[in-house]
Amino acid sequence: MINKMTPQRYNTHNCIENCIANYCDAVGVDFKPMFLYSWDFGYDESRTTVGERLHYHHSCSMNFENYIQLSERYLNISFKPEMIDGNILKHKYEEGSVFVISTDSFECPWNLAYQKYHYPHYYLLISNHDHPEKYWVAIDSFSTLEIVNMDSNIL
């Protein structure tokens, strides 16, 4: 998986949307229709004017669970939300799983908000089986276009 994953920043997307988009790029899935749906753009032909026909979600707020449901429905990509710790991640390393990690940006060293601000942040975490040393790779195109290598013991 890591060989196909290249951080690509999508400026109009937030961090979780960038995670989904980068994963979709790697597996060859077109993610764009999902984000149009997530922003709730729609068209109601029964309305009189074009302005009334076109609608959008006024709050523009999406939570993680909504992204999971939309990914499953429109992209046929399954995310399993679960609370796991570093020890479980070490066991999952061998499976070659891809994780969407939720963290506090204050604790994320490559994030611009590191040690400055607290807000929820998401990035992809992938085990690197092709390398003789065990380490994880973080893909966080919202924060950096660099691939971040992390020793498996850090987790």
Side-chain angles (χ1 to χ4, degrees), residues 38-144:
S38 72
W39 297 327
D40 193 25
F41 286 108
Y43 194 77
D44 184 354
E45 291 180 4
S46 67
R47 298 294 188 158
T48 309
T49 67
V50 172
E52 292 173 321
R53 290 179 188 162
L54 185 67
H55 65 86
Y56 59 94
H57 193 289
H58 293 284
S59 71
C60 294
S61 63
M62 285 286 291
N63 62 31
F64 185 70
E65 289 76 20
N66 289 103
Y67 283 112
I68 290 171
Q69 290 172 356
L70 289 170
S71 296
E72 290 174 348
R73 183 173 177 185
Y74 292 102
L75 303 176
N76 200 25
I77 294 173
S78 177
F79 292 105
K80 275 199 291 185
E82 57 184 301
M83 297 293 291
I84 57 177
D85 64 17
N87 291 325
I88 294 172
L89 273 178
K90 286 179 186 179
H91 294 310
K92 297 273 187 180
Y93 180 91
E94 299 304 326
E95 296 174 14
S97 300
V98 177
F99 296 93
V100 177
I101 301 294
S102 173
T103 189
D104 181 348
S105 60
F106 191 85
E107 302 296 334
C108 187
W110 58 84
N111 191 290
L112 291 174
Y114 178 63
Q115 300 295 306
K116 295 177 189 168
Y117 308 107
H118 294 276
Y119 67 86
H121 184 63
Y122 298 91
Y123 64 90
L124 294 173
L125 188 67
I126 306 159
S127 61
N128 189 354
H129 285 90
D130 298 334
H131 198 273
E133 297 175 27
K134 287 190 174 188
Y135 67 91
W136 290 90
V137 172
I139 303 288
D140 184 2
S141 65
F142 186 79
S143 300
T144 179

Side-chain angles (χ1 to χ4, degrees), residues 3-20:
N3 298 344
K4 298 179 185 178
M5 188 82 58
T6 304
Q8 172 67 39
R9 180 175 294 134
Y10 294 94
N11 293 327
T12 58
H13 300 331
N14 61 32
C15 57
I16 185 66
E17 291 171 341
N18 268 275
C19 287
I20 294 169

